Amino acid sequence: MAGKVVWGPEPTKQVWGSSLGRHSPSLFLQLPSNQTLRFRGNKAEAWGAALEGGIESSVVPQDCVVGEEEEEDQRPLKELPLCLEEKRRLRFLQEQAASRLSGWRLWRVEKQRTLRHLRSQAGTVMSYVVMWKSTLRHIEGHFGTGIQSYFNFLRFLVLMNFVASLLVVGFVIAPNAAFEALHLNWTGRPNNVSANASCVHYDPSAHGLVSYFSYIMDLLSGKGFMELTYLFYGYYQNSAVDFASFSYNVPLAYLLTAFFYLLFCLIWIVQRSVYCLKHSLVSEDASLGSYSNKVFAGWDFGLMQHSAVQLKHKSIRYELRMDLEEEALRRRLAERTTRQRATLYILRGLLNLLVLSLLGGGFFCIYLATSYSQWLLGSADSPVKGQYILELLVAYLPSIVITVANLLIPIIFGVIVQLEKYPLSFEIKITLLRNVFLRLASLVVLLISLWSQITCSGDPKDSNCKDCGYSHLFPCWETSVGQEMYKLLIFDLLIMLLVMLFVEFPRKILVTYLPSCPLLKLWGQQEFMVPSNVLDLVYGQTVCWTGALFCPLLPVLNTLKYIMIFYLKKLTLYANCRPAERTFRASSSNFFFLLVLLMGLTISCVPALYSMFVLPPSKSCGPFRGEPTMWNTVSNAISELPLTAQEFLEFVGSLAFAVPLFLLLSILMFYLMALAGSYSSMVKGLKGQLRLEGQDKLFLVKQISELSQ
């Protein structure tokens, strides 16, 4: 019958187009994807013509089969999506083909298999030594990928600080300690600048009888005996060590280590940011059927332990819950009227004005606290001199004000963002962005306040700065900056411990044992707030980068601090927190965390580079005493090289090299942008084809159901 397919045993009569009759419209012409043939080029039209001509799909060219077999042969059998019987058949065919190979080709095939096996075994071994792997899987299963992203970010910071600590210890701390212990010959570097007598006086050591409480004060504030350790800039010598035919330039090693430390962190963060960006673009794209992938292809059939199976169940459940919440949110956004949207935008504008007012007030308080603290500590007739507790409070006054602002203002931000009615993923980003701006800008305000006091607000003719080029109230200003960063790091850790002991644990106890109290019901058991915790990490890392030039051991201390924070946060997560009521996607946050961290690195590089190239070093301490700038040490080292090396480095640093390099990089950037645009258009086309394939399947299923009735 025309228009119907006869389902019989005669396959020769069942041609795709002719089965509907010679005069009936072809089934291919009715497919939704056929409407786009004229937009998809000659290949699609040829494919359609082939179907119209009745070419049977079972006839496949031999070269295609050979190509597929060769392509499959390059991949391990365990990676092929085939059943076990088919894999055995392929293994038998591979062994037969290998027996017919000559000696050289057989050796190459065996070498490739051996290397592939070794690579697989190495990957298996490395998977067992991944830091905190089982802990992160357990957190993912019980609290979702959103909270796991925080601990992944913390692990990344621990590894980065650990590698950076090896760099600092290997080239600065260990050589100086070894040279001092071996009593080697120290050769002083000549001073290029004549200094006033008032500028070279610097003696931080205590004289006379020192009480035990003074040592505790010095340990917390970084003063006194702490200034005479490898922790701070002022202890290092402006000299080189000669040992046989070997010479180690301490100032050059100090400067280049600090410079490459920041460069190493920049490269690692950018590399990880690119990886996370690619992952987020793929995982957040709902056009590829993320729901189907989770339901039909999300299970790991290699799981053997019951605990791992349960964690995988919970992880998939959290991901499906995120998809459902995002879909419900998109539906609510689509149902809003124009009046509701206008009211919401006006409300958001007013709330953002309130946010700016709070930020301005916090910055002004930090600036006043820093100026007042430095004035009290620098004055000879200060009323706090000799009063240990009061002096410690004054020394920590900027840190206290910064911490109070960072504790109170984010709470207000959390209330404000609830009124703005953003999606949870964007709510986390905007909250994190505001809090990051608060913390990083507060650090910038602190640095600006220190700069204005060290450089007399940039006025070299001031009475305090006329003799030394910087304020004589800071005889070793690099150590003073390092002490501020050291106090911020110590105070940040102490505040976290105090909040955990006196706020989080008592809250958990009260909510657990007094469930009938109305106030406690309203307060409830706390959730693990990812934005505020990530902000603490970014702030601490920015403080470390800012003080690394003036306090070389700060990366080592920061590594120990983050390891301690990991276990403390893990403890408070399991003991005090409950799973979040609203979930968010981790892939959308991982890249944003690194972007915020990159912002902190950019801010911290400004004072470091300004100190290297512009500010005159202290004339009484440090490895650069007597030099006009820190970078002058590099110029002196270059002048001692052979003439050819000097000319080459001078050419690299000249405009004759910089301008062509800039033009070449610009051309390369435009080429990569054009390439990315072409790839983007190709991806869009492929996504369109995938959607059409789905429509074709629905159409064919509908046709089959109609014809079978």
Side-chain angles (χ1 to χ4, degrees):
M1 295 176 61
K4 292 187 178 181
V5 178
V6 180
W7 299 94
E10 300 180 10
T12 57
K13 295 182 181 181
Q14 301 301 322
V15 182
W16 183 271
S18 61
S19 63
L20 296 176
R22 183 176 299 273
H23 301 289
S24 304
S26 172
L27 185 61
F28 170 73
L29 296 177
Q30 302 177 35
L31 291 176
S33 59
N34 183 65
Q35 305 299 322
T36 64
L37 283 180
R38 60 194 182 100
F39 300 108
R40 291 188 282 146
N42 297 328
K43 291 185 178 180
E45 293 179 357
W47 177 69
L51 287 176
E52 285 298 311
I55 299 178
E56 296 187 10
S57 59
S58 60
V59 180
V60 182
Q62 186 66 24
D63 55 350
C64 295
V65 177
V66 174
E68 291 178 0
E69 289 181 356
E70 291 179 354
E71 182 180 357
E72 289 184 352
D73 188 63
Q74 301 298 324
R75 298 169 57 190
L77 286 178
K78 65 179 182 180
E79 295 182 4
L80 298 178
L82 301 172
C83 62
L84 192 59
E85 182 180 355
E86 189 67 19
K87 289 183 179 181
R88 290 196 184 103
R89 187 184 68 83
L90 286 177
R91 171 68 68 184
F92 178 73
L93 293 177
Q94 288 178 356
E95 292 176 353
Q96 281 188 338
S99 63
R100 295 192 296 267
L101 295 177
S102 60
W104 171 250
R105 295 189 62 186
L106 180 61
W107 178 81
R108 287 184 58 189
V109 171
E110 292 296 333
K111 185 188 72 170
Q112 291 178 357
R113 289 182 179 177
T114 304
L115 291 177
R116 188 186 304 158
H117 181 71
L118 289 176
R119 195 182 302 115
S120 176
Q121 293 296 324
T124 304
V125 172
M126 291 300 295
S127 65
Y128 286 109
V129 299
V130 173
M131 193 175 184
W132 298 320
K133 181 180 178 180
S134 60
T135 301
L136 293 176
R137 284 187 174 179
H138 201 266
I139 291 173
E140 178 188 3
H142 285 82
F143 297 94
T145 57
I147 294 178
Q148 186 208 24
S149 64
Y150 164 80
F151 287 91
N152 275 325
F153 183 63
L154 179 55
R155 181 179 64 176
F156 165 71
L157 291 180
V158 169
L159 294 176
M160 185 179 67
N161 281 278
F162 176 73
V163 177
S165 301
L166 295 180
L167 180 69
V168 173
V169 172
F171 289 96
V172 177
I173 310 297
N176 281 273
F179 297 152
E180 187 175 346
L182 296 174
H183 303 287
L184 298 179
N185 183 25
W186 293 76
T187 304
R189 311 292 295 179
N191 291 341
N192 299 333
V193 180
S194 59
N196 192 292
S198 62
C199 300
V200 296
H201 177 69
Y202 174 67
D203 186 15
S205 59
H207 301 281
L209 184 63
V210 181
S211 64
Y212 180 74
F213 188 74
S214 298
Y215 284 107
I216 299 178
M217 287 276 299
D218 293 342
L219 182 65
L220 294 176
S221 62
K223 296 182 180 295
F225 79 94
M226 293 290 289
E227 298 182 51
L228 301 177
T229 62
Y230 293 108
L231 180 62
F232 291 109
Y233 166 93
Y235 184 73
Y236 295 89
Q237 301 297 318
N238 180 23
S239 58
V241 178
D242 298 323
F243 180 72
S245 59
F246 173 76
S247 179
Y248 194 84
N249 192 335
V250 175
L252 184 64
Y254 188 99
L255 183 63
L256 293 183
T257 300
F259 182 80
F260 282 106
Y261 162 64
L262 296 175
L263 183 63
F264 159 76
C265 293
L266 175 64
I267 293 173
W268 199 348
I269 293 173
V270 169
Q271 184 267 338
R272 188 174 177 88
S273 300
V274 172
Y275 171 78
C276 291
L277 178 61
K278 292 180 180 179
H279 182 70
S280 64
L281 290 177
V282 173
S283 61
E284 292 183 9
D285 192 359
S287 64
L288 299 180
S290 60
Y291 177 79
S292 300
N293 289 336
K294 291 184 180 69
V295 173
F296 298 106
W299 186 254
D300 185 3
F301 288 92
L303 298 177
M304 301 295 292
Q305 300 178 355
H306 180 72
S307 59
V309 172
Q310 294 298 322
L311 290 177
K312 190 64 178 179
H313 271 296
K314 294 179 180 179
S315 177
I316 295 177
R317 185 186 65 190
Y318 270 107
E319 292 179 1
L320 294 176
R321 181 180 170 187
M322 281 187 286
D323 291 337
L324 294 175
E325 288 182 358
E326 290 176 357
E327 182 64 29
L329 178 63
R330 284 193 291 267
R331 185 175 299 174
R332 288 197 300 268
L333 292 177
E335 293 174 354
R336 284 178 182 169
T337 63
T338 305
R339 182 178 179 180
Q340 290 175 339
R341 293 176 183 172
T343 305
L344 183 61
Y345 292 152
I346 294 173
L347 177 62
R348 288 176 180 175
L350 296 175
L351 292 175
N352 281 306
L353 291 177
L354 178 60
V355 168
L356 293 177
S357 302
L358 291 171
L359 291 174
F363 299 156
F364 183 69
C365 293
I366 293 169
Y367 182 82
L368 289 180
T370 306
S371 302
Y372 185 67
S373 173
Q374 295 297 327
W375 176 75
L376 282 178
L377 295 176
S379 300
D381 55 347
S382 174
V384 300
K385 293 294 184 181
Q387 303 183 29
Y388 296 117
I389 297 179
L390 191 59
E391 188 175 356
L392 181 64
L393 290 176
V394 170
Y396 269 88
L397 184 60
S399 302
I400 292 173
V401 174
I402 290 175
T403 303
V404 170
N406 292 334
L407 286 177
L408 296 181
I409 296 180
I411 295 176
I412 303 175
F413 286 169
V415 177
I416 290 174
V417 80
Q418 296 291 333
L419 302 175
E420 293 176 311
K421 298 180 181 180
Y422 288 119
L424 182 59
S425 298
F426 187 77
E427 179 181 315
I428 288 175
K429 292 178 182 178
I430 192 66
T431 304
L432 187 60
L433 192 61
R434 288 169 178 170
N435 295 338
V436 161
F437 184 76
L438 169 66
R439 288 217 172 186
L440 298 186
S442 63
L443 186 60
V444 170
V445 171
L446 174 64
L447 293 173
I448 291 175
S449 177
L450 291 173
W451 170 84
S452 65
Q453 297 175 58
I454 292 171
T455 64
C456 302
S457 300
D459 184 12
K461 297 180 180 180
D462 191 276
S463 59
N464 291 331
C465 297
K466 184 164 47 176
D467 296 333
C468 307
Y470 54 88
S471 178
H472 65 83
L473 300 175
F474 299 90
C476 188
W477 63 265
E478 295 92 346
T479 297
S480 299
V481 176
Q483 287 169 349
E484 291 296 330
M485 300 301 111
Y486 171 77
K487 287 185 288 187
L488 286 175
L489 185 142
I490 296 297
F491 197 70
D492 187 47
L493 181 61
L494 290 177
I495 288 298
M496 191 201 69
L497 291 174
L498 292 176
V499 169
M500 184 180 299
L501 290 175
F502 297 105
V503 176
E504 295 179 353
F505 280 108
R507 177 179 176 180
K508 171 67 175 179
I509 294 173
L510 291 175
V511 171
T512 303
Y513 293 100
L514 296 174
S516 59
C517 179
L519 183 60
L520 293 178
K521 282 184 179 180
L522 181 63
W523 196 13
Q525 188 177 352
Q526 69 176 5
E527 294 183 11
F528 191 87
M529 304 303 295
V530 174
S532 59
N533 284 282
V534 169
L535 181 60
D536 293 337
L537 299 181
V538 173
Y539 172 73
Q541 188 60 51
T542 305
V543 169
C544 177
W545 283 327
T546 305
L549 179 63
F550 316 107
C551 184
L553 274 176
L554 212 57
V556 180
L557 298 178
N558 207 40
T559 304
L560 299 176
K561 171 190 170 184
Y562 280 158
I563 293 175
M564 188 184 303
I565 285 177
F566 185 92
Y567 288 104
L568 291 175
K569 290 296 181 181
K570 175 187 171 183
L571 174 64
T572 190
L573 176 67
Y574 284 106
N576 303 326
C577 300
R578 58 183 170 85
E581 295 180 357
R582 300 169 62 195
T583 59
F584 68 97
R585 198 174 299 279
S587 58
S588 63
S589 303
N590 288 331
F591 171 71
F592 191 72
F593 294 164
L594 293 169
L595 191 63
V596 172
L597 187 65
L598 196 61
M599 187 189 309
L601 178 60
T602 305
I603 292 175
S604 61
C605 284
V606 173
L609 296 177
Y610 184 77
S611 302
M612 289 181 186
F613 292 98
V614 179
L615 280 182
S618 298
K619 298 176 176 59
S620 59
C621 68
F624 307 104
R625 66 189 75 174
E627 298 287 351
T629 60
M630 293 183 183
W631 195 254
N632 195 62
T633 303
V634 179
S635 302
N636 295 336
I638 292 175
S639 63
E640 298 176 1
L641 295 175
L643 182 60
T644 305
Q646 292 184 37
E647 293 177 350
F648 173 74
L649 292 176
E650 288 177 0
F651 171 72
V652 170
S654 64
L655 291 177
F657 178 79
V659 173
L661 179 63
F662 176 75
L663 294 176
L664 182 62
L665 291 177
S666 300
I667 294 172
L668 180 62
M669 182 184 68
F670 283 116
Y671 168 73
L672 292 177
M673 290 174 62
L675 192 63
S678 64
Y679 286 158
S680 177
S681 61
M682 184 184 301
V683 168
K684 289 180 181 177
L686 292 175
K687 288 179 181 178
Q689 289 190 16
L690 286 175
R691 285 192 291 268
L692 290 173
E693 291 292 334
Q695 295 176 13
D696 288 350
K697 291 177 181 178
L698 293 175
F699 175 77
L700 292 175
V701 168
K702 183 179 179 181
Q703 290 292 320
I704 291 173
S705 62
E706 290 179 354
L707 294 173
S708 61
Q709 294 177 359

